Amino acid sequence: SQTIHQWPATLVQPVGSPLSLECTVEGTSNPNLYWYRQAAGRGLQLLFYSVGIGQISSEVPQNLSASRPQDRQFILSSKKLLLSDSGFYLCACRGGNNEKLFFGSGTQLSVL
Amino acid sequence: GENVEQHPSTLSVQEGDSAVIKCTYSDSASNYFPWYKQELGKGPQLIIDIRSNVGEKKDQRIAVTLNKTAKHFSLHITETQPEDSAVYFCAAPGGGADGLTFGKGTHLIIQP
């Protein structure tokens, strides 16, 4: 079964600072990878998805970007964080022909 | 695109009683409906799912029912226990590259 590693678990950053969140996946190859954001007390919003190395699609316009430098690595970045970027960021994975979507443990980002 | 509505937003039940959470979806072509449980500070965990070719699926104390005609599906938890307290999300296929569209979540509180 697949395992999703996300780090860091918690991050406090000042406004205007850069961001890099990393997600790596084990136990599957050529997965679809996703970044979701969850605002406090709200549902899950899909930010980016990737079907392969170097292939990134954005679902919503925003201050963030994503990259997939390796098959099982997905990175969420920002050059300058905004207060509105605060939230709980979740990496998710769907492997092969499996329709099941699995989530990592998440990163709680606070921008102050 | 798919729209998923989830009710209620908060549900409080006595320990040992049953809990029911309901969701509706808009896309009649949707064929896969998962449920996730999210504990505080953790990523959502897939607890049960159902495909559109069946009307009900059970796994110990949890069950999911699906009414394709009415386009709604429900999560049933029997003999509730304190560890069932969490936020529960329903979902249906939506978003790019076979992502999921989520309901806004139900905060289930089990009263001792």
Side-chain angles (χ1 to χ4, degrees), chain B residues 65-81:
Chain B
T65 59
L66 171 65
N67 183 326
K68 283 195 66 179
T69 303
K71 290 189 286 187
H72 67 69
F73 57 112
S74 300
L75 177 71
H76 304 253
I77 306 175
T78 59
E79 302 174 16
T80 53
Q81 301 170 4

Side-chain angles (χ1 to χ4, degrees), chain A residues 64-76:
Chain A
L64 303 169
S65 62
S67 61
R68 186 169 176 177
Q70 300 180 47
D71 180 47
R72 286 172 285 181
Q73 183 185 28
F74 204 23
I75 298 171
L76 184 69

Side-chain angles (χ1 to χ4, degrees), chain A residues 34 38 94 99-101, chain B residues 36 38 49 51 97-98 100:
Chain A
Y34 310 82
Q38 187 175 30
R94 169 178 282 117
E99 61 197 350
K100 299 181 190 293
L101 188 71
Chain B
Y36 289 83
Q38 186 178 28
D49 54 12
R51 288 193 57 82
D98 301 320
L100 294 173

Side-chain angles (χ1 to χ4, degrees), chain A residues 32 34 36 38 41-44 46 49-51 59 88 90 94 99-106, chain B residues 31-32 36 38 41-44 46 49 51 57 89 94-104:
Chain A
N32 285 4
Y34 310 82
Y36 281 85
Q38 187 175 30
R42 304 279 300 273
L44 296 102
L46 179 61
Y49 67 89
S50 171
V51 300
E59 287 286 294
F88 192 49
L90 290 154
R94 169 178 282 117
E99 61 197 350
K100 299 181 190 293
L101 188 71
F102 295 99
F103 285 89
S105 54
Chain B
N31 59 3
Y32 172 69
Y36 289 83
Q38 186 178 28
K42 298 184 179 180
L46 178 65
D49 54 12
R51 288 193 57 82
K57 183 177 179 181
F89 292 94
D98 301 320
L100 294 173
T101 295
F102 288 83
K104 293 191 182 302

Side-chain angles (χ1 to χ4, degrees), chain B residues 14-87:
Chain B
Q14 289 293 124
E15 182 178 350
D17 289 349
S18 295
V20 181
I21 303 170
K22 299 180 180 181
C23 288
T24 61
Y25 61 98
S26 60
D27 187 353
S28 57
S30 290
N31 59 3
Y32 172 69
F33 306 94
W35 285 89
Y36 289 83
K37 175 184 180 182
Q38 186 178 28
E39 297 176 339
L40 191 62
K42 298 184 179 180
Q45 178 186 10
L46 178 65
I47 57 172
I48 195 167
D49 54 12
I50 191 169
R51 288 193 57 82
S52 57
N53 58 346
V54 298
E56 184 176 5
K57 183 177 179 181
K58 289 184 179 180
D59 183 3
Q60 298 182 356
R61 294 188 298 109
I62 61 173
V64 55
T65 59
L66 171 65
N67 183 326
K68 283 195 66 179
T69 303
K71 290 189 286 187
H72 67 69
F73 57 112
S74 300
L75 177 71
H76 304 253
I77 306 175
T78 59
E79 302 174 16
T80 53
Q81 301 170 4
E83 55 265 36
D84 295 329
S85 294
V87 179

Side-chain angles (χ1 to χ4, degrees), chain A residues 13-60:
Chain A
Q13 292 285 96
V15 169
S17 64
L19 173 73
S20 180
L21 301 181
E22 188 161 345
C23 170
T24 59
V25 179
E26 295 178 355
T28 186
S29 59
N30 196 29
N32 285 4
L33 298 175
Y34 310 82
W35 279 110
Y36 281 85
R37 177 170 58 200
Q38 187 175 30
R42 304 279 300 273
L44 296 102
Q45 180 186 35
L46 179 61
L47 303 177
F48 299 96
Y49 67 89
S50 171
V51 300
I53 296 173
Q55 301 179 62
I56 307 295
S57 296
S58 174
E59 287 286 294
V60 293

